[in-house]
Amino acid sequence: MSRSLTFRIFRYDPQLPDDAPKMVDYQLDETPGMTVFIALNRLRAEQDPSLQFDFVCRAGICGSCAMVINGLPTLACRTLTAKYSDAVITLMPLPGFELIGDLSVNTGKFMRELAERLKLWLHPKAQQADIHHLEQPMEPDEAAKLYELERCVECGVCVSACATAQMRDTFVGAVGMMKIARFELDSRDARTADDFYHVIGTQDGVFGCMTLLGCQDNCPKDLPHMQQIAYLRRKMAGTLIAKAKVS
């Protein structure tokens, strides 16, 4: 038998000068296989067309529908309402990002600024202007390692689940370090450990992580965040020791 669900949703539109943050309750009958994403679409179509939230792929690939569901950041499209025995489901926007309205936050702005700050693109060892030149081959093991780190969908869940990121907005977060690790592992990238040290070898980088595992525990793609942070820490610590010996 279906049950009646109560969705307690954060509502606030910063574009409206007279609006104020509030929680609004909506009732909806649960259907088999219902996800929070499906419920939100039904609420917007059947009850309140002004409800703001984001979605694109509906398959856990784009990361757009990330939000805080009953206190934990995750993807709405991959969260079944049936997993909650309590018929009340509370929805909040991801903390740590600019609020667009209701459950919609501007993760794109954050990710773009992070990419520009950390220079998250390949710095090739040799500039090749000839478009007919064959691409540099890569060992399968290396390609597999890079593919694992490329699975990040930039949903922002790891940032919202990180205590350090919530206390210090200059912290690069697990998503930034995951992407740095991807280029550090890439044999085609010209940057050295010393180059990466100047980017993340501070309290805003690998040495600011408190190892609370919020990023790893909540990542919807089960990415090895702590493994890569530990890997970068060893690399950066080695660079720091080498610098001390030289001085």
Side-chain angles (χ1 to χ4, degrees):
M1 294 180 63
S2 64
R3 57 177 178 164
S4 178
L5 299 175
T6 297
F7 288 89
R8 188 157 293 155
I9 302 177
F10 175 86
R11 300 299 310 272
Y12 174 55
D13 189 343
Q15 303 297 321
L16 302 177
D18 297 329
D19 201 11
K22 56 187 176 294
M23 301 299 293
V24 178
D25 287 357
Y26 299 89
Q27 275 68 46
L28 192 68
D29 289 338
E30 188 175 34
T31 56
M34 176 185 280
T35 63
V36 172
F37 162 78
I38 292 174
L40 284 170
N41 274 278
R42 282 189 55 192
L43 288 174
R44 185 157 65 181
E46 301 170 9
Q47 299 185 33
D48 191 345
S50 69
L51 182 60
Q52 298 183 65
F53 61 95
D54 299 316
F55 71 92
V56 177
C57 73
R58 302 174 292 178
I61 298 173
C62 71
S64 300
C65 66
M67 61 187 65
V68 178
I69 304 176
N70 280 8
L72 293 176
T74 188
L75 298 180
C77 68
R78 297 185 63 183
T79 304
L80 293 169
T81 57
K83 71 176 289 188
Y84 301 108
S85 57
D86 191 345
V88 178
I89 300 176
T90 302
L91 306 179
M92 301 283 291
L94 289 181
F97 299 96
E98 177 186 341
L99 179 68
I100 296 174
D102 300 339
L103 303 175
S104 176
V105 296
N106 197 343
T107 54
K109 178 181 178 182
F110 175 90
M111 297 299 173
R112 182 175 63 253
E113 291 176 348
L114 186 68
E116 292 171 353
R117 173 186 170 189
L118 303 182
K119 298 183 178 5
L120 297 176
W121 53 83
L122 186 71
H123 295 229
K125 292 180 177 178
Q127 296 292 335
Q128 179 56 254
D130 183 8
I131 62 173
H132 301 291
H133 184 77
L134 291 177
E135 183 178 359
Q136 179 180 338
M138 179 182 291
E139 291 296 326
D141 288 345
E142 181 183 350
K145 290 178 181 178
L146 297 185
Y147 172 76
E148 175 68 6
L149 305 188
E150 287 281 12
R151 291 194 300 109
C152 173
V153 295
E154 299 186 354
C155 61
V157 165
C158 63
V159 177
S160 293
C162 175
T164 305
Q166 299 311 308
M167 293 187 295
R168 191 166 65 249
D169 59 9
T170 54
F171 184 60
V172 301
V175 61
M177 286 182 274
M178 177 71 69
K179 291 178 178 295
I180 284 288
R182 176 254 179 272
F183 290 108
E184 203 283 331
L185 287 167
D186 197 326
S187 61
R188 300 167 300 174
D189 200 287
R191 287 170 289 185
T192 65
D194 187 62
D195 295 323
F196 290 116
Y197 175 81
H198 290 290
V199 178
I200 59 167
T202 65
Q203 288 298 311
D204 284 337
V206 290
F207 300 121
C209 173
M210 297 187 292
T211 323
L212 298 177
L213 302 180
C215 54
Q216 182 119 351
D217 291 344
N218 293 280
C219 178
K221 307 301 287 186
D222 296 321
L223 292 172
H225 289 290
M226 293 314 304
Q227 176 185 336
Q228 298 309 316
I229 291 174
Y231 168 75
L232 290 175
R233 271 182 173 167
R234 292 193 297 271
K235 283 282 188 177
M236 298 304 102
T239 301
L240 189 60
I241 292 171
K243 286 177 177 290
K245 287 181 178 179
V246 171
S247 60

